[in-house]
Amino acid sequence: MKVNGHRRRERAVIAAVRRPSQRRWEVEESLAELEGLTRAAGAEVIERVTQERPAPTPSLYFGRGKGDEIAQVARERGADVFISDDALSPIQERNISKALGIKVIDRTALILDIFAQRARTSEGKLQVELAQLTYLLPRLVGQWTHLERLGGGIGTRGPDETQLESDRRVIRRRVMQIRRELEGVQRHRRLQRHGRRRAGIPVVALVGYTNAGKTTLLNRLSGARFTAADQLFVTLDPAARVVSGNGRPPFILTDTVGFIRKLPHELVAAFRATLEELTDADVLLHVVDASHPARDEQMVAVEALLRDLDVADRPTVLVLNKVDRMEPSPSFETLVTERRAVPVSAVSGEGLDELLSAIDGALRPTTRTVTLRIPHADGAALALCYERGHVFTRADDEAHVQLQVALPTKVVGALAPYRV
């Protein structure tokens, strides 16, 4: 859409259903985040709508009266797109679009759009495309009903497949191709991780909510110059730099995609190659925007995703970033004292010496050097030693492999039957 030769920003109506189990401020906060995502995608929000219902309706999501109200607002305000804060089924998406007469998307599609705009590397683009195709596949029916053969009988029989079936076939083939390419990426990353382990340098991974300041912190600690901005989802591709100096042992600091509430499962699956970096980390740095009004909810969302990725058991340092933007509060002090959180400002450098000391302390007790005698038949235990540890010596006989290996303490416990 162009006005006087310039592309006009799309005008969006955003909406959510509030269930009885939800507190009002939770829905408002989620809508505020959706508005930020909408702006990040290049559109402007002209109206926010909330409806209180026991549950969304299966066909229209909202009640019919609220749907008519939204349609009127969309017409009067010249809306181009309607964005739902919750995931919509293909049927709901189709029915709302028909009722409103404008494009309809949900939070998942919006995040995918932002990722598509921000992806720069070939790997990032592949992962975004995989997520988009996975999201699109069940929605093809609504997009191709005008081309699909309905019914049967004379004149409709024959070997030709419908346009819908053809499109599904094309998408499935492309999904398989992307997955093969990403498997190659994963193999390459595994080789990189094996190289790091052989070098004996521990890995510290930055995790946290999007726009918490992870990339700025990486730049400040390592001297790198990765792009950092006060925007959602600036970093999509993993980055790694060695942090050394001041007489401290070096470590590798990695940065990954930021998390968000209601992160689409398509994205978690598609970005698994990137998020595998977390499985190799000896310590996680959970970076929190301490100045954000929804700080606690964001922390909970990140911790839930870490559990989903099976890395919640890693030693973790809680980093309260952006303290230059806030005044301390009782809840803030509680985090510092009870969870040993480290207050920092990645912008000003405040608290970074204390953070480096906390990282040293977290790395120190995480590994133990042990001697293991593992039967050849237990290939999984042997693989675990190489994946999670640093092997110093290896001796093979007919039935066993004897290793001297440095392993995380929890892994040592799992392999206790094989200790010599």
Side-chain angles (χ1 to χ4, degrees), residues 260-286:
I260 196 167
R261 281 173 292 186
K262 305 178 185 177
L263 187 68
H265 69 272
E266 293 92 348
L267 277 180
V268 174
F271 276 76
R272 193 160 292 278
T274 297
L275 294 171
E276 271 188 357
E277 294 288 325
L278 301 181
T279 67
D280 191 52
D282 299 289
V283 169
L284 302 181
L285 289 191
H286 180 179

Side-chain angles (χ1 to χ4, degrees), residues 83-84 86-88 93 104-111 135 139:
I83 305 174
S84 168
D86 293 313
L88 297 174
E93 198 173 293
V104 171
I105 62 173
D106 58 17
R107 176 185 270 250
T108 299
L110 180 62
I111 294 175
Y135 177 79
R139 288 165 169 76

